[in-house]
Amino acid sequence: DTAVSQTPKYLVTQMGNDKSIKCEQNLGHDTMYWYKQDSKKFLKIMFSYNNKELIINETVPNRFSPKSPDKAHLNLHINSLELGDSAVYFCASSQQFREQYFGPGTRLTVT
Amino acid sequence: LAKTTQPISMDSYEGQEVNITCSHNNIATNDYITWYQQFPSQGPRFIIQGYKTKVTNEVASLFIPADRKSSTLSLPRVSLSDTAVYYCLVGGSMMRNRDDKIIFGKGTRLHILP
């Protein structure tokens, strides 16, 4: 059983489109995260939700909007995609901000 | 902000012990130190976490001096499959407000040679 899953694994889209990435964890954790890893491999946190409440909201464009329908899901919606949004996006989960378990990543390519 | 500094890359040979040091001069009282391993095209994987002194598990040891301004990940008897990027992360385990931060270091590329 996959602990943290993301869909889709690959996403190729054109500038200006709106897309969503879904994340689900079956670990019973109360905290979930979204990270962006760019071409230089820097791993930067974007958002964190604890018990469905937004805890961390780093400086990201407001085109990015996380949505947590329940503790097991944290989806990322991106409006008006730009070339600079191309990256690998990782979802992760943890219990009370302890060690994080990462998903396999979603490689987003904006053309 | 407890920023971290790690060597950009390291080479070692199979069977050797590898030590990777992370500096975190501004570590806060409630910050834990966590290390992750990342293979290409995969998400980071938790290795070990500690607060002070020494922590050991089945894959690694983590040494943290008394001032907690640095930490050293020790991998015993590495193999080729340990070639990966290793990240040092400093952050609170009980964050309750948006001033708490999660900051990954830039990672250390460890290359194990036969």
Side-chain angles (χ1 to χ4, degrees):
Chain A
D1 288 341
T2 303
V4 182
S5 59
Q6 297 179 226
T7 54
K9 188 170 176 62
Y10 299 96
L11 184 55
V12 180
T13 188
Q14 292 183 328
M15 287 174 56
N17 285 347
D18 303 338
K19 291 294 179 185
S20 292
I21 306 173
K22 295 185 177 181
C23 178
E24 177 181 1
Q25 55 95 4
N26 62 7
L27 298 168
H29 288 163
D30 61 3
T31 306
M32 296 185 72
Y33 314 78
W34 275 110
Y35 287 86
K36 177 181 180 181
Q37 188 167 45
D38 59 23
S39 57
K40 295 182 180 179
K41 305 300 182 184
F42 296 152
L43 196 59
K44 296 181 180 178
I45 189 167
M46 302 173 69
F47 303 102
S48 174
Y49 271 73
N50 175 255
N51 285 315
K52 294 176 55 182
E53 178 187 352
L54 181 63
I55 296 297
I56 296 174
N57 185 6
E58 292 297 321
T59 307
V60 299
N62 56 15
R63 299 181 293 105
F64 291 80
S65 55
K67 293 220 173 10
S68 181
D70 54 58
K71 289 199 297 185
H73 296 84
L74 181 62
N75 303 323
L76 183 64
H77 189 75
I78 315 170
N79 290 328
S80 303
L81 278 155
E82 301 177 357
L83 292 176
D85 297 332
S86 295
V88 180
Y89 292 83
F90 288 103
C91 176
S93 74
S94 69
Q95 184 62 25
Q96 289 292 305
F97 294 98
R98 289 200 172 272
E99 64 269 20
Q100 298 176 39
Y101 292 80
F102 285 77
T106 296
R107 182 174 293 277
L108 171 65
T109 303
V110 183
T111 61
Chain B
L1 300 180
K3 292 187 177 180
T4 61
T5 304
Q6 304 174 232
I8 294 175
S9 65
M10 294 178 66
D11 290 342
S12 187
Y13 292 93
E14 280 191 293
Q16 302 263 328
E17 177 185 79
V18 171
N19 296 311
I20 306 175
T21 297
C22 179
S23 297
H24 28 79
N25 291 321
N26 297 324
I27 190 169
T29 303
N30 66 341
D31 283 345
Y32 278 73
I33 301 156
T34 311
W35 285 80
Y36 293 85
Q37 175 192 56
Q38 186 177 27
F39 297 113
S41 302
Q42 294 185 25
R45 183 176 72 99
F46 169 79
I47 300 175
I48 197 167
Q49 184 180 70
Y51 183 80
K52 61 180 179 180
T53 62
K54 177 184 174 182
V55 180
T56 298
N57 62 22
E58 62 275 9
V59 297
S61 294
L62 179 59
F63 298 91
I64 305 169
D67 65 7
R68 304 199 330 122
K69 293 183 182 299
S70 67
S71 59
T72 299
L73 173 72
S74 180
L75 305 172
R77 297 179 299 281
V78 293
S79 64
L80 294 177
S81 63
D82 291 316
T83 294
V85 178
Y86 292 81
Y87 291 96
C88 167
L89 171 64
V90 175
S93 68
M94 295 295 291
M95 284 180 283
R96 281 294 177 265
N97 62 68
R98 296 176 189 182
D99 290 332
D100 289 324
K101 298 291 183 182
I102 297 176
I103 301 176
F104 271 79
K106 295 182 179 179
T108 298
R109 290 188 176 278
L110 177 64
H111 186 205
I112 305 301
L113 303 166

